[in-house]
Amino acid sequence: MKKPWGRLRSGVVAIIMLLMLAILVSGCSKETLLPKDESYMTQAEEKKVKEAVIDYIQKRYNKNFEVQQIDKDHLFGADYTIRGKIKDGKDTIIYVTGNPPNDFQDTYVPQLWTDELEPRITKYAKETMDFRLMKNIVYGDGTKKTTYTGEIPSVYDVLKNGGDKDFTLTLSIEIYDHHGQSQAEISKFLNELKKMNLNEVIIEIFVYDDKLKTISKKTDTDNYAIYRYNISGDIQKIDINNLDQYKTVIKH
């Protein structure tokens, strides 16, 4: 799937080209027509943002924060995007977006919980299906501001108590058809997720012909994809034994 950024970037390039053409035709200086580059930061501004985000993390999670990179972007969303690691014994890498001193949003809890879930979910995938690879896994709350502060509980403790319905598990997996058993195996995998007390899921599963196992790694794997399952909704309500409604035949 092409990301919307590609289309957005093409549009921006087209606008810039039109502006340059207008400059050539009218003889105006580019300073007259082109917007000021607001992504530039003075050292004082960068220092202010750095101090503010360190203070934000300290107050929110009682943890030190090591800033690695600060980007400023007034055109496509949040004014500042800060990358760094929380000194929590794991050096968890997170992103913080927003404006100092108080308008910040961070990815700490989603990242922490994703890191916790990934090994177990990968284990279930390998145990229940003819596993090929897991392309990505994210357990997050979208654009909502996470309400958790202080010492963050284990995701398994939260799931034991019914889970957090604001969090969605997004997952993309590739498996083999396993002599026509893939759909039954997918049901077993979904049952494991259900038993974990997960709620909303967005799961994409590509099923490949078993022949791919013996083919050179340089082969175009797309030629061996035979089914795709797009499963979304509350895993507690999904009929995991009736998956035809989520199935798309790619190749007969």
Side-chain angles (χ1 to χ4, degrees):
M1 181 183 293
K2 290 185 178 179
K3 296 183 178 179
W5 167 244
R7 296 192 294 270
L8 185 58
R9 183 172 59 185
S10 298
V12 172
V13 171
I15 291 170
I16 292 173
M17 293 296 291
L18 287 172
L19 284 170
M20 291 177 66
L21 181 60
I23 292 169
L24 290 172
V25 172
S26 66
C28 296
S29 67
K30 65 180 180 180
E31 288 80 7
T32 304
L33 292 176
L34 292 177
K36 179 183 177 183
D37 179 9
E38 295 186 350
S39 64
Y40 173 77
M41 279 184 289
T42 63
Q43 287 185 341
E45 181 183 6
E46 188 168 347
K47 182 174 181 288
K48 175 186 173 183
V49 175
K50 183 176 180 179
E51 289 174 349
V53 74
I54 289 173
D55 184 61
Y56 162 78
I57 294 295
Q58 179 64 50
K59 287 178 178 176
R60 188 169 186 85
Y61 300 115
N62 299 321
K63 300 280 191 302
N64 292 326
F65 185 59
E66 181 182 317
V67 175
Q68 296 176 321
Q69 183 176 336
I70 301 175
D71 292 311
K72 180 180 177 182
D73 188 352
H74 284 291
L75 188 56
F76 299 116
D79 285 350
Y80 299 96
T81 299
I82 303 100
R83 181 184 189 273
K85 55 187 176 185
I86 289 192
K87 310 306 286 184
D88 57 358
K90 304 171 187 176
D91 283 346
T92 303
I93 301 293
I94 71 163
Y95 288 88
V96 183
T97 57
N99 279 296
N102 300 315
D103 183 24
F104 280 128
Q105 185 173 349
D106 68 86
T107 63
Y108 184 43
V109 178
Q111 187 61 59
L112 205 60
W113 286 359
T114 297
D115 291 345
E116 275 194 282
L117 285 171
E118 184 170 5
R120 183 174 294 189
I121 290 177
T122 302
K123 175 176 174 284
Y124 289 152
K126 289 179 177 179
E127 288 176 347
T128 57
M129 301 181 290
D130 196 348
F131 182 83
R132 184 169 184 268
L133 62 89
M134 185 175 293
K135 296 169 76 173
N136 65 67
I137 173 172
V138 176
Y139 189 58
D141 52 354
T143 58
K144 288 195 65 174
K145 283 194 175 185
T146 301
T147 57
Y148 295 91
T149 59
E151 198 64 34
I152 305 304
S154 165
V155 67
Y156 295 111
D157 290 335
V158 174
L159 291 172
K160 259 188 243 176
N161 294 316
D164 187 324
K165 291 180 173 55
D166 287 334
F167 275 68
T168 299
L169 175 70
T170 304
L171 188 62
S172 182
I173 303 178
E174 295 181 3
I175 65 172
Y176 296 106
D177 191 36
H178 201 189
H179 310 294
Q181 298 180 56
S182 58
Q183 184 159 306
E185 292 178 349
I186 292 170
S187 294
K188 291 179 182 177
F189 172 66
L190 295 177
N191 190 49
E192 294 299 328
L193 299 185
K194 189 173 183 178
K195 289 191 293 188
M196 290 174 68
N197 282 334
L198 290 163
N199 299 114
E200 290 296 315
V201 298
I202 301 174
I203 300 174
E204 181 181 59
I205 301 178
F206 283 93
V207 181
Y208 287 85
D209 193 310
D210 292 327
K211 293 176 184 176
L212 183 59
K213 294 180 183 180
T214 58
I215 303 296
S216 166
K217 291 183 179 180
K218 295 181 181 180
T219 301
D220 184 358
T221 57
D222 289 346
N223 293 330
Y224 291 86
I226 52 179
Y227 308 120
R228 183 181 71 244
Y229 291 83
N230 289 106
I231 303 161
S232 61
D234 187 341
I235 192 70
Q236 303 301 325
K237 298 176 182 177
I238 291 173
D239 185 354
I240 62 174
N241 296 310
N242 181 20
L243 300 178
D244 284 340
Q245 60 184 309
Y246 304 106
K247 178 180 179 181
T248 299
V249 177
I250 300 174
K251 184 178 179 182
H252 290 280

